[in-house]
Amino acid sequence: MGRIEKEAFVFLLLMLLRTFQTCLAASNTQQPKRRESLSVSSSSSSNGPGSSVFPIFGNVYPDGLYYVSVSIGNPPKKYFLDIDTGSDLTWVQCDAPCVSCYNGPHPPYKPARNKLVFCKDPLCAASPSLIPYTCEEPRDQCDYQITYADGSFSDGVLVRDTFSLRMSSGSLAQPSLTFGCGYNQGGSSSTSTLMTDGVLGLGNGKSSILSQLRGLNLVRNVTGHCISGQGGGYLFFGDSIIPSSGVTWTPMSHNRFHKYSPGPMNIIFGKQPIGVKDLLVVFDSGSTYTYFASQPYQAFVSMGRGNVCLGILNGSEGGLQDLNIIGDISLQDLMVIYDNEKQKIGWVRENCNRLPTSGTALF
């Protein structure tokens, strides 16, 4: 990363830290959500790429998460999914039958047998699993097992079904997409288990819904979110609503294990460096708070925040080691853009309370 780009990112962090309006009581033992990944194959479409916009619901406090409404199946049924740029796999609670499901806002998704993804599919060998991959019979189902850093987990099978999307052209797209049918969930007492039906993985891996839509030529491989400090906001696929000017851009890190990372950063408190340089940082909408590794966290606190509450926690105590996560509390009132086509991340001040009028998804 060049000097100007690095300074731009440092300025972003400072701007975020100086403009928080919400003071939260948070324990250092709270865990961020980090996700696993898998690969998927997809077909193409003759339609040109467009965009789709989803209204965001939720807030940092008291809900502690942001989610969107997604319509799956034919006829479409509504599901609330936790938006997560830190993972690839999208999954919903599933009656397959359900071994252990929490009491979500909607009845579990019930797949038809012809919706199952077989283990012979190339994506199955790369699916998150705690057991060695085997495919004894080509028409066996494709299982996944995924565990998150906060101790929550989802076990299930991969399926394909239609998603209903309203495109910027006004047309209704109903692509067939691969996602997880989770029939065994647990390990977390988070309120997200009461407010959502699963996770919308927006990482840049081949299994993500975004990558699949790009493979179908429905949208460009660009996504982003505008999270309002007052609650709500919007999520978008494609690049048609991105401002033509005013966006600060920085190259996207090529470390595939860390999803959306702008590379190393430095932290400056006011105008004074805290003395810790080249920190590995990740943007993760699946984490409510921001997490610094132990060394930068202690250095930051020692600079003197007084009674200011910034929602920044010690990530090393949460098992993140040297990873630093920029979570929802630090991304409010900004349009944040993840451009996988050009391999860059951008941000710009935006009124996240105003939903773009074109390309609004069904909900």
Side-chain angles (χ1 to χ4, degrees), residues 1-10 248-252 262-266 278 347:
M1 183 185 299
R3 181 179 62 85
I4 295 178
E5 293 160 335
K6 181 178 290 187
E7 290 178 352
F9 184 68
V10 172
T248 298
W249 294 101
T250 189
M252 191 181 295
M265 75 169 186
N266 300 336
D278 298 329
W347 56 86

Side-chain angles (χ1 to χ4, degrees), residues 211-268:
S211 295
Q212 294 182 63
L213 291 173
R214 181 63 180 96
L216 295 168
N217 203 32
L218 287 173
V219 300
R220 298 192 186 280
N221 200 340
V222 178
T223 188
H225 49 72
C226 199
I227 296 172
S228 173
Q230 300 177 25
Y234 58 88
L235 168 76
F236 59 91
F237 296 159
D239 57 2
S240 68
I241 70 169
I242 298 174
S244 58
S245 62
V247 180
T248 298
W249 294 101
T250 189
M252 191 181 295
S253 171
H254 293 286
N255 189 325
R256 65 185 180 91
F257 296 107
H258 293 135
K259 307 307 176 192
Y260 293 124
S261 172
M265 75 169 186
N266 300 336
I267 302 177
I268 299 175

Side-chain angles (χ1 to χ4, degrees), residues 38 89 115-117 123 127 142 144 156-159 178-180:
L38 71 161
L89 178 66
K115 302 298 184 182
L116 290 176
V117 172
L123 68 88
S127 63
C142 179
Y144 76 86
V157 297
L158 297 187
V159 296
T178 297
F179 60 100

Side-chain angles (χ1 to χ4, degrees), residues 101-156:
C101 289
Y102 53 83
N103 186 23
H106 300 101
Y109 168 83
K110 191 172 182 65
R113 180 165 293 275
N114 64 357
K115 302 298 184 182
L116 290 176
V117 172
F118 298 132
C119 69
K120 68 179 180 180
D121 193 298
L123 68 88
C124 199
S127 63
S129 179
L130 301 178
I131 56 177
Y133 169 76
T134 59
C135 187
E136 297 178 357
E137 297 293 335
R139 295 184 66 84
D140 283 349
Q141 67 187 27
C142 179
D143 299 308
Y144 76 86
Q145 296 177 314
I146 185 168
T147 302
Y148 304 121
D150 63 358
S152 62
F153 63 87
S154 176
D155 301 336

Side-chain angles (χ1 to χ4, degrees), residues 51-190:
S51 293
S52 190
V53 179
F54 301 75
I56 286 178
F57 307 94
N59 47 61
V60 166
Y61 184 83
D63 295 339
L65 81 162
Y66 291 90
Y67 61 95
V68 294
S69 178
V70 176
S71 297
I72 304 175
N74 192 7
K77 293 184 178 180
K78 181 168 59 176
Y79 301 93
F80 292 163
L81 302 183
D82 189 346
I83 59 174
D84 184 21
T85 57
S87 71
D88 294 335
L89 178 66
T90 290
W91 61 267
V92 298
Q93 289 209 113
C94 182
D95 183 8
C98 193
V99 175
S100 177
C101 289
Y102 53 83
N103 186 23
H106 300 101
Y109 168 83
K110 191 172 182 65
R113 180 165 293 275
N114 64 357
K115 302 298 184 182
L116 290 176
V117 172
F118 298 132
C119 69
K120 68 179 180 180
D121 193 298
L123 68 88
C124 199
S127 63
S129 179
L130 301 178
I131 56 177
Y133 169 76
T134 59
C135 187
E136 297 178 357
E137 297 293 335
R139 295 184 66 84
D140 283 349
Q141 67 187 27
C142 179
D143 299 308
Y144 76 86
Q145 296 177 314
I146 185 168
T147 302
Y148 304 121
D150 63 358
S152 62
F153 63 87
S154 176
D155 301 336
V157 297
L158 297 187
V159 296
R160 286 192 181 97
D161 208 341
T162 56
F163 281 59
S164 297
L165 304 174
R166 183 68 64 185
M167 307 304 294
S168 56
S169 63
S171 64
L172 174 63
Q174 292 187 302
S176 180
L177 303 174
T178 297
F179 60 100
C181 165
Y183 55 73
N184 184 31
Q185 280 70 243
S188 175
S189 59
S190 171

Side-chain angles (χ1 to χ4, degrees), residues 263-278:
M265 75 169 186
N266 300 336
I267 302 177
I268 299 175
F269 189 89
K271 295 183 178 180
Q272 183 178 356
I274 68 170
V276 183
K277 299 181 179 180
D278 298 329

